[in-house]
Amino acid sequence: MKRKLIITIFLFICSSALYAQTEQTESVTSKFYFPALIGVGIPLDNDHTILKHGSILNTALEFRPVYINAFFFRFNYDALNNSYASPMVNLPTNVVKGKLSANFFVAGAGYRWQFKKIGVYALLQPGLGTRYFNRAVLTPDGISIDNITNSSFSVKTSTGIEYYIVKHFALIAEPSFYKLFSGRGFNNSHSQISSISIGITTTLF
C-alpha cells in the first residue's frame, strides 16, 4: 500500500509539472531545476555480510548558469534503505538480520551535452554520508536495542540520460556510485553501493 501511494504521488507530480512547463516562459527561475528520482540501491558483494538490494530516493536542487552544453551545479539529498543478514558477531552491529539506512548530503559540479532531445551528463559530488543501524545491548532488565549512527566523508559519482519532452521538463535515467570513506561502523564491511534510478527534472516556474 505504501509503495502504491508513493508511485501515485510521483506520477501526479510528473503530470502536474509537465502541464506547467508547457505554459512556461523564460525567467531567472528557469535556471533552477529540481530532479526527483526513485530507484534501486545495489550493494557490492563482500565476504561476511549479505546486503540485499534496497530502495533509493533522490532529491536535488540544480543550478544551470547555461541551459545545456555547459557546466552545472547540484546539491543532493539521497536516502537509501537496505536489509542485511550476517553470521559474523564482530561487526559494529550484533543484530544478525536487520535494516541498514544511509543518507547522503552531497554537492558538486557536472557537465551536460545535448543531442537533439537527449541530454547526457556526468557529475561528481563530495559530501557527508551517514549510516543508521541497530545494536543489541544486554542490560539488567533484559536486552535493549540502541540506534547507532556512523558519519563519514563520502563521494557520489553519476551519469545520466535525459529525454526532454519540453524544454524544461525531462525524464531521467541515472546510474550512480556511492563511496563512504571510514574505518568505523558498517563501513568496515561494506562501503560501496551502486544504484540505478529513474525520474524527472523540471523547474517550478
Side-chain angles (χ1 to χ4, degrees):
M1 180 64 69
K2 184 178 180 181
R3 181 174 298 178
K4 290 182 179 179
L5 179 61
I6 292 173
I7 293 173
T8 301
I9 294 172
F10 184 76
L11 292 175
F12 175 76
I13 293 172
C14 288
S15 59
S16 300
L18 178 58
Y19 175 78
Q21 294 309 313
T22 59
E23 303 297 325
Q24 178 174 290
T25 58
E26 289 296 326
S27 64
V28 175
T29 57
S30 66
K31 295 181 181 294
F32 290 91
Y33 287 74
F34 297 86
L37 304 93
I38 54 175
V40 178
I42 308 168
L44 304 182
D45 290 336
N46 65 76
D47 294 334
H48 51 271
T49 302
I50 301 172
L51 215 61
K52 299 179 180 179
H53 293 183
S55 62
I56 179 169
L57 174 65
N58 307 95
T59 56
L61 170 63
E62 178 178 306
F63 175 65
R64 301 188 193 180
V66 178
Y67 172 60
I68 213 162
N69 289 320
F71 284 98
F72 65 94
F73 305 92
R74 184 187 290 182
F75 167 79
N76 264 76
Y77 168 70
D78 296 348
L80 291 76
N81 292 281
N82 301 86
S83 59
Y84 72 88
S86 175
M88 305 293 288
V89 295
N90 60 343
L91 292 178
T93 177
N94 54 3
V95 179
V96 296
K97 289 185 178 181
K99 299 289 184 180
L100 175 64
S101 301
N103 293 335
F104 291 87
F105 295 89
V106 291
Y111 194 91
R112 178 179 280 103
W113 297 266
Q114 183 178 22
F115 305 94
K116 296 184 178 180
K117 284 193 171 185
I118 302 297
V120 178
Y121 63 85
L123 178 65
L124 175 64
Q125 297 172 284
L128 179 69
T130 302
R131 284 189 158 175
Y132 306 88
F133 53 93
N134 295 325
R135 183 174 179 82
V137 179
L138 185 62
T139 69
D141 299 323
I143 297 176
S144 67
I145 302 296
D146 289 349
N147 297 316
I148 309 298
T149 62
N150 169 227
S151 299
S152 67
F153 174 71
S154 302
V155 171
K156 176 186 177 184
T157 58
S158 306
T159 58
I161 300 176
E162 303 164 322
Y163 177 74
Y164 285 85
I165 298 176
V166 293
K167 184 175 181 180
H168 295 291
F169 181 89
L171 305 177
I172 312 170
E174 184 182 280
S176 300
F177 176 80
Y178 298 86
K179 173 69 175 179
L180 294 98
F181 295 88
S182 173
R184 299 177 296 109
F186 244 91
N187 300 324
N188 283 333
S189 61
H190 216 90
S191 59
Q192 301 177 108
I193 296 177
S194 60
S195 69
I196 178 68
S197 300
I198 58 173
I200 63 168
T201 185
T202 184
T203 59
L204 291 182
F205 304 103

